[in-house]
Amino acid sequence: MHSVMLPPSLRVIERGWLNCNQVVMLAAGDNVLVDSGYCTHRERTLELLASPAGLDGEPLERLINTHCHSDHMGGNAAVVSEYGSRITIPAGEVKNVAPWTPQSVWMEEFDQRADPFHFDDTIDAGQSFEGGGFRWQAYAAPGHDMDALMFFEPVNRILISGDALWENAMGFVWPEEGANPLIDAARETLATIERLEPSAVIPGHGAPFVDAAGAIARVRDRLDAFARDPAKNARHVMKSMFVFALLDKRSMPLADVPGYVARVPYYRRVSERFLGVPPEGLAEWLVGDLLRSGAISVTGGVLRPNAIA
Ligand SMILES: [Zn+2]
């Protein structure tokens, strides 16, 4: 285990699996934040941002998102109301957040939430921005989100990977029967990271790490397994979505799970398409599998997630 040495102008506020990490880049008069966390934890995010681990009371001029999923931009509105920061989003995400609808960030489909926000400008692959006294180059990072970007700083060789690469996994990739262009895109993103040879990776979730090659190899194995077995991928996505919802809600009565997976459109749709299981069977499988893997606990007939939010 190598510890990651980052320049003092970079601060990583490590969160959990409901909130993404916040990366603070300090330069007087031009402080930058990458990604804002989930909306229901907005107060905690603002508290951490203002703390010595973040801006330490300094202003925040700009907020940039790696991608516009609810755990990365859900806190954008709160950050702007506190700091008046300018918001920059990936150019490809504009269609997903403007106009803002109940289905923006998949909210209706997946039972997620985010506070509506207005962005000021966009950044696209091939463009760059100044942060913490360094120039960060934007690279396309499709796969988990086809419009996502990652940011690379070539002097220290630091990569902010968003959900394109974590130390032991990556953000889920939608299942498809047969050839899956989303998995192919994720593989291309890994190849891009391999070419960049980062000496440190700051992921969207989990601690920063130095062994990018090892992480890439682990994720390639997972993608290969998902490409061979789309139903396995579908089960993985459903489990990830459900744990995410539990982290948001904090708990759910066991008796409510069949009604929940019958009501939230995504579970029904994927279950019909990939698993052929009725809602009652789906709830039983979901809870059983998550209990076996240690992702959740049940006490007194109530489910709780074991991961940190
Ligand atoms: Zn994320």
Side-chain angles (χ1 to χ4, degrees), residues 20 67 71-72 163 205:
C20 69
H67 60 300
D71 56 326
H72 292 255
D163 288 348
H205 303 266

Side-chain angles (χ1 to χ4, degrees), residues 60 77 91 102 131 138 154 160 185 195 201 205 220 258-259 298:
L60 179 65
I160 295 174
R195 279 195 297 276
V201 178
H205 303 266
R220 277 191 177 132
V298 181

Side-chain angles (χ1 to χ4, degrees), residues 73-96:
M73 58 71 166
N76 280 13
V79 169
V80 168
S81 70
E82 180 78 9
Y83 291 98
S85 321
R86 150 189 174 209
I87 293 188
T88 304
I89 66 170
E93 297 283 10
V94 171
K95 61 182 177 297
N96 301 323

Side-chain angles (χ1 to χ4, degrees), residues 73-300:
M73 58 71 166
N76 280 13
V79 169
V80 168
S81 70
E82 180 78 9
Y83 291 98
S85 321
R86 150 189 174 209
I87 293 188
T88 304
I89 66 170
E93 297 283 10
V94 171
K95 61 182 177 297
N96 301 323
V97 297
W100 190 271
T101 73
Q103 180 53 17
S104 292
V105 295
W106 320 319
M107 287 187 292
E108 217 163 60
E109 178 86 4
F110 303 105
D111 184 35
Q112 296 186 3
R113 274 156 284 283
D115 296 326
F117 66 92
H118 295 282
F119 61 91
D120 298 284
D121 52 23
T122 63
I123 181 167
D124 210 347
Q127 297 178 328
S128 63
F129 67 90
E130 287 284 335
F134 302 104
R135 183 149 283 279
W136 297 82
Q137 299 164 344
Y139 287 83
H144 169 65
D145 176 334
M146 292 304 280
D147 303 302
L149 296 175
M150 52 192 177
F151 305 123
F152 183 65
E153 191 285 294
V155 176
N156 298 285
R157 313 202 67 77
I158 296 167
L159 178 73
I160 295 174
S161 60
D163 288 348
L165 183 68
W166 308 332
E167 189 166 14
N168 293 303
M170 63 172 286
F172 60 75
V173 177
W174 300 122
E176 293 279 349
E177 289 102 345
N180 186 340
L182 307 176
I183 289 184
D184 292 342
R187 286 180 173 132
E188 275 170 42
T189 298
L190 294 178
T192 304
I193 297 174
E194 203 164 42
R195 279 195 297 276
L196 292 172
E197 293 186 58
S199 62
V201 178
I202 302 173
H205 303 266
F209 56 93
V210 294
D211 183 14
I216 289 169
R218 287 187 285 277
V219 172
R220 277 191 177 132
D221 284 349
R222 287 174 74 103
L223 289 174
D224 289 349
F226 290 151
R228 278 194 304 272
D229 187 353
K232 179 190 175 82
N233 192 17
R235 290 193 297 271
H236 171 66
V237 175
M238 266 197 276
K239 286 186 278 184
S240 306
M241 283 291 183
F242 187 72
V243 170
F244 190 85
L246 267 189
L247 285 165
D248 180 19
K249 297 173 197 310
R250 293 162 195 264
S251 67
M252 187 186 294
L254 189 54
D256 289 359
V257 181
Y260 181 80
V261 296
R263 188 171 65 246
V264 178
Y266 183 75
Y267 297 95
R268 202 174 48 233
R269 198 156 61 77
V270 169
S271 172
E272 277 167 10
R273 196 168 142 202
F274 291 93
L275 309 180
V277 180
E280 315 82 60
L282 180 65
E284 201 177 308
W285 163 76
L286 193 57
V287 170
D289 202 87
L290 290 171
L291 276 173
R292 271 191 300 281
S293 69
I296 61 171
S297 317
V298 181
T299 38

